[in-house]
Amino acid sequence: MTTPEKSTPAPARAPTVTIHDVARRSGVSYQTVSRVINNHANVAQHTRERVQRAIEDLGYRPSLLAKGLVTRRSQLIGVVAHGMNQYGPSQILQNVQESAHEVGYEIMLTTLQQVDLEQVREQDVLTAVRRLQQFGVDGLVLLTNYDAHEIARGLDGSLPVVMIDATADVHGPTVSIDQFEGAATATRHLAALGHRRLLHISGPPGWSDARLRREGFYSVVQQVGVDALPTYDGDWSARSGFEATVRALEDGVTFTGVFAANDQMALGVLSALRQRGLSVPHDVSVVGFDDTPEAAYFDPPLTTIRQDFAQLGRKSLEELLRLIQEPAGRERHYVFGSQLVVRGTTAPAPARDPSARAPY
């Protein structure tokens, strides 16, 4: 005979704390509690503190929907992003999200799935924006990392928008790091060490960061009379940096310095040079870009360009909130600098070019 299984009753759900519970605990009206939650100015400080203590004691969590009915805002920020598998975009998004949480906003993220930015069309971004608008977002951050002129023009102005890493001539507010000058700084560092044959491993075509870093590199090459060598494109991965360096060596390109457009590709460069039997920095110097957390632990530690992604995320959110509060506010463009971090992969140029040895 089979014994019937006994069912375990579900645990009782804790009662939901309401705004009226907070009002009773603090001895004020629920309208006063609402004014405290929505940070109205006309609440006495001692009353505000009493309500806040009641909120903490009871564990009350204001509903965003209820709050939105009062403020006519959803407390949601929409983000359209591309390249989340890359260090830079992922760090920017993380800092936008942290900054939003600090001021009581949530993030709604839509990612563009195309791997190659050249495949991304204006309509792809506009479709993502329309999707976010259906959720009533208060503002929008575009983190697309390519020239967004047409996309910016396609927005109808009904939603505050800030573009991250767009060039300053784009219509609309922008927040960016000077990619051109960062690359120029990296190249000047190599030139100051006496290197006259410099190889550039570029990021993928279509990315504005890759284009600006390439332009910054060649601007210094032309200024100081460094030999202009072919550029080899990568896709931001260590594998592509390795393969680009191997191609350059097999093509018979000779060089004593390498500027890789990001740290991951620089890691591939180091591996390819080591496989070739070349010593870094004794034979070849290498500079990367981004200063990823791992860069200081490469072998040898990587000289690179540090970007302040935290500053970029904070300022973009700050600017968007300003536009939400002041829809008619003037358009602003913020451009931040970067910093050269010198480590163990750069040294004075050797007397002769070691990469001129016979290829594989």
Side-chain angles (χ1 to χ4, degrees), residues 19 34 37-38 60 62-73:
I19 192 171
S34 177
I37 292 171
N38 292 291
Y60 175 64
S63 162
L64 286 179
L65 178 60
K67 187 174 181 180
L69 293 175
V70 176
T71 64
R72 296 187 179 181
R73 296 199 178 112

Side-chain angles (χ1 to χ4, degrees), residues 263 267 270 290-304 306 341-345:
D263 289 353
L267 177 60
L270 295 178
D290 282 339
D291 194 26
T292 60
E294 299 82 10
Y297 302 97
F298 287 4
D299 184 18
L302 183 66
T303 295
T304 185
R306 176 179 296 160
V341 180
V342 179
R343 297 194 180 103
T345 56

Side-chain angles (χ1 to χ4, degrees), residues 217-259:
F217 170 81
Y218 279 109
S219 72
V220 175
V221 165
Q222 294 168 1
Q223 289 170 9
V224 302
V226 172
D227 292 342
L229 304 179
T231 291
Y232 288 78
D233 291 337
D235 62 7
W236 302 124
S237 69
R239 173 192 50 77
S240 71
F242 178 92
E243 292 175 351
T245 307
V246 169
R247 287 198 307 273
L249 292 168
E250 290 180 339
D251 290 344
V253 178
T254 62
F255 52 88
T256 65
V258 180
F259 168 49

Side-chain angles (χ1 to χ4, degrees), residues 91-222:
Q91 288 298 299
I92 294 170
L93 175 61
Q94 178 182 324
N95 283 287
V96 169
Q97 187 171 41
E98 289 176 356
S99 297
H101 287 170
E102 288 174 1
V103 292
Y105 272 82
E106 293 294 331
I107 293 294
M108 293 196 70
L109 172 66
T110 295
T111 59
L112 304 177
Q113 299 302 319
Q114 292 87 341
V115 175
D116 187 349
L117 274 178
E118 292 186 321
Q119 299 172 8
V120 176
R121 301 168 301 162
E122 174 189 355
Q123 193 56 43
D124 296 324
V125 181
L126 292 178
T127 298
V129 170
R130 302 294 180 249
R131 190 180 307 126
L132 291 169
Q133 284 181 306
Q134 291 175 356
F135 288 93
V137 296
D138 294 332
L140 184 71
V141 173
L142 282 183
L143 173 54
T144 52
N145 209 295
Y146 61 98
D147 292 326
H149 296 73
E150 294 302 321
I151 291 165
R153 278 197 286 268
L155 299 174
D156 58 13
S158 62
L159 193 66
V161 178
V162 171
M163 285 170 279
I164 298 180
D165 265 355
T167 53
D169 56 344
V170 172
H171 173 69
T174 62
V175 181
S176 63
I177 294 174
D178 193 336
Q179 306 295 317
F180 180 98
E181 184 56 32
T185 298
T187 312
R188 280 194 290 266
H189 173 63
L190 290 169
L193 290 170
H195 296 276
R196 288 298 176 265
R197 293 188 62 79
L198 302 179
L199 180 69
H200 180 41
I201 309 297
S202 175
W207 287 69
S208 60
D209 282 359
R211 175 179 58 79
L212 290 167
R213 292 173 197 180
R214 186 186 306 116
E215 291 175 358
F217 170 81
Y218 279 109
S219 72
V220 175
V221 165
Q222 294 168 1

Side-chain angles (χ1 to χ4, degrees), residues 35-111:
R35 285 194 290 272
V36 171
I37 292 171
N38 292 291
N39 203 30
H40 284 207
N42 59 338
V43 179
Q45 184 61 30
H46 69 277
T47 301
R48 185 183 303 276
E49 292 172 356
R50 192 162 71 248
V51 171
Q52 288 171 339
R53 279 197 303 272
I55 288 173
E56 293 173 5
D57 291 344
L58 294 171
Y60 175 64
R61 296 293 178 266
S63 162
L64 286 179
L65 178 60
K67 187 174 181 180
L69 293 175
V70 176
T71 64
R72 296 187 179 181
R73 296 199 178 112
S74 66
Q75 301 298 117
L76 295 173
I77 297 295
V79 178
V80 178
H82 181 274
M84 288 298 96
N85 60 326
Q86 302 299 328
Y87 176 74
S90 66
Q91 288 298 299
I92 294 170
L93 175 61
Q94 178 182 324
N95 283 287
V96 169
Q97 187 171 41
E98 289 176 356
S99 297
H101 287 170
E102 288 174 1
V103 292
Y105 272 82
E106 293 294 331
I107 293 294
M108 293 196 70
L109 172 66
T110 295
T111 59

